[in-house]
Amino acid sequence: MKQYHWTSLRRQAIIWKPCRLMTAMLWLLLFVIQVLIIGVFIYQWSFENCVQLWKYQEVNKQMENCLTRDTSEMALRPKCPVISPYLIGYRKPVINDEIHLEDTLQKYRYVKCGGQFRLANCEARQKVALLVPFRDRQEHLTIFINHMHPFLMRQQLEYKIYIIDLDEEIMFNRGVLLNVGFLEASKEADFDCYFLHDVDLLPEHDHNLYRCSELPRHMSVAMDKFNYRLPYLTYFGGVSAMTKDQILFVNGFSNKFSGWGGEDDDLYNRLI
């Protein structure tokens, strides 16, 4: 009886061993599948950041150190090409509430010198200051910073982004903020071009070059919220580009337009 019982257990063990092995393999297979699925989601989520980081590394392979800048070497840099080879054309802006400012700043931590980006391998054709009036739009600002840094880098620009804010007790005044931004930026560097840029507007196509010309330029002539048409022919708001001389010639923006609107139309009337 004991022999039978023993034999029976051995036979049962012989049957259970492959069953247990199959069960373990099945759990292992399920685990591998779960890991692959999670990996695919992570890959899709991070693909946009990886592409932007790759583009950034291609554009700026050797970042200069602000604290140890060699002016003699900087003077020997060749001019960047008229049209950057890193342009990719249309790219839908990534508008995601899950983008965090801290992560964005960490991603572009190589933007040094007080927030000014400067190419190490060639001398930019123009130095550009982006003047961004700001009031209680933190989500827009995070998306704006995340989009504009790679956009401007691909154009091989030397640039700096200025975020200008008013005390909360003072009524918003876009003209005042842009005038202050222009004066402060002019003290820091001799910029070739000043972009008067709303924080909620993102360029979709990097062939839309952020440069100034002999005449003031209105950049945001086709916005999605207006079905890519001007709301009216004399519209000069949103994003515009002017040189220092052009801004001084019209004496900047009027300081009288508190609240929203009016200052861009007034500027247009004085420009023409």
Side-chain angles (χ1 to χ4, degrees):
M1 191 68 177
K2 291 181 179 179
Q3 184 65 27
Y4 173 77
H5 184 62
W6 175 257
T7 302
S8 178
L9 289 176
R10 289 191 64 180
R11 288 180 179 176
Q12 199 169 12
I14 292 173
I15 296 173
W16 284 356
K17 282 182 180 179
C19 290
R20 291 174 179 174
L21 180 61
M22 291 176 64
T23 302
M25 292 179 64
L26 180 60
W27 279 109
L28 179 61
L29 179 61
L30 291 175
F31 174 76
V32 172
I33 292 174
Q34 288 178 345
V35 170
L36 290 175
I37 293 174
I38 294 172
V40 169
F41 279 108
I42 293 176
Y43 174 79
Q44 291 177 342
W45 177 77
S46 62
F47 179 74
E48 184 73 20
N49 293 340
C50 291
V51 171
Q52 291 183 358
L53 180 60
W54 177 80
K55 283 289 183 181
Y56 172 78
Q57 292 172 343
E58 285 293 315
V59 172
N60 206 60
K61 293 181 179 179
Q62 293 181 336
M63 297 301 300
E64 59 174 330
N65 190 324
C66 296
L67 301 178
T68 59
R69 180 180 300 167
D70 189 339
T71 55
S72 61
E73 291 183 4
M74 297 293 290
L76 297 176
R77 292 181 307 162
K79 282 280 189 180
C80 295
V82 176
I83 302 298
S84 170
Y86 302 106
L87 301 180
I88 59 176
Y90 172 81
R91 188 170 198 165
K92 183 177 178 62
V94 178
I95 302 175
N96 190 341
D97 293 339
E98 296 181 359
I99 298 176
H100 301 290
L101 183 60
E102 294 77 12
D103 298 335
T104 301
L105 296 178
Q106 177 65 18
K107 183 166 57 175
Y108 301 111
R109 62 188 182 278
Y110 299 110
V111 179
K112 298 182 178 180
C113 306
Q116 184 170 350
F117 177 80
R118 195 172 196 179
L119 291 161
N121 55 357
C122 64
E123 184 180 353
R125 295 276 171 171
Q126 287 193 7
K127 292 190 295 184
V128 179
L130 267 68
L131 310 180
V132 184
F134 181 76
R135 169 60 64 87
D136 297 332
R137 292 191 176 187
Q138 191 63 40
E139 292 182 0
H140 289 171
L141 178 60
T142 301
I143 295 171
F144 178 83
I145 295 295
N146 186 66
H147 181 81
M148 293 306 299
H149 275 308
F151 177 88
L152 297 170
M153 289 176 185
R154 292 197 302 269
Q155 294 192 5
Q156 292 187 305
L157 292 171
E158 179 178 342
Y159 68 88
K160 186 168 184 178
I161 300 176
Y162 293 85
I163 309 299
I164 313 104
D165 195 3
L166 272 173
D167 189 282
E168 293 183 358
E169 297 179 357
I170 303 176
M171 184 178 292
F172 182 81
N173 189 312
R174 184 173 181 266
V176 168
L177 292 175
L178 290 172
N179 288 338
V180 170
F182 168 73
L183 293 175
E184 293 302 315
S186 299
K187 295 176 184 177
E188 292 190 358
D190 186 18
F191 290 103
D192 301 299
C193 187
Y194 295 83
F195 267 74
L196 319 173
H197 210 301
D198 284 356
V199 73
D200 59 351
L201 291 181
L202 305 174
E204 298 178 352
H205 203 298
D206 59 13
H207 288 203
N208 187 12
L209 300 180
Y210 270 43
R211 299 177 184 174
C212 280
S213 61
E214 295 180 359
L215 296 174
R217 298 179 62 194
H218 183 218
M219 305 295 292
S220 53
V221 295
M223 289 186 283
D224 57 352
K225 68 177 182 179
F226 297 136
N227 295 320
Y228 295 100
R229 297 179 180 179
L230 284 173
Y232 49 92
L233 291 179
T234 59
Y235 179 68
F236 199 70
V239 183
S240 53
M242 300 173 67
T243 65
K244 183 175 183 178
D245 290 340
Q246 291 165 356
I247 294 175
L248 292 175
F249 180 76
V250 295
N251 198 28
F253 281 88
S254 171
N255 295 324
K256 297 181 179 180
F257 293 89
S258 295
W260 295 94
E263 78 291 330
D264 48 356
D265 294 327
D266 175 77
L267 182 66
Y268 175 85
N269 291 331
R270 287 185 287 117
L271 282 172
I272 60 173

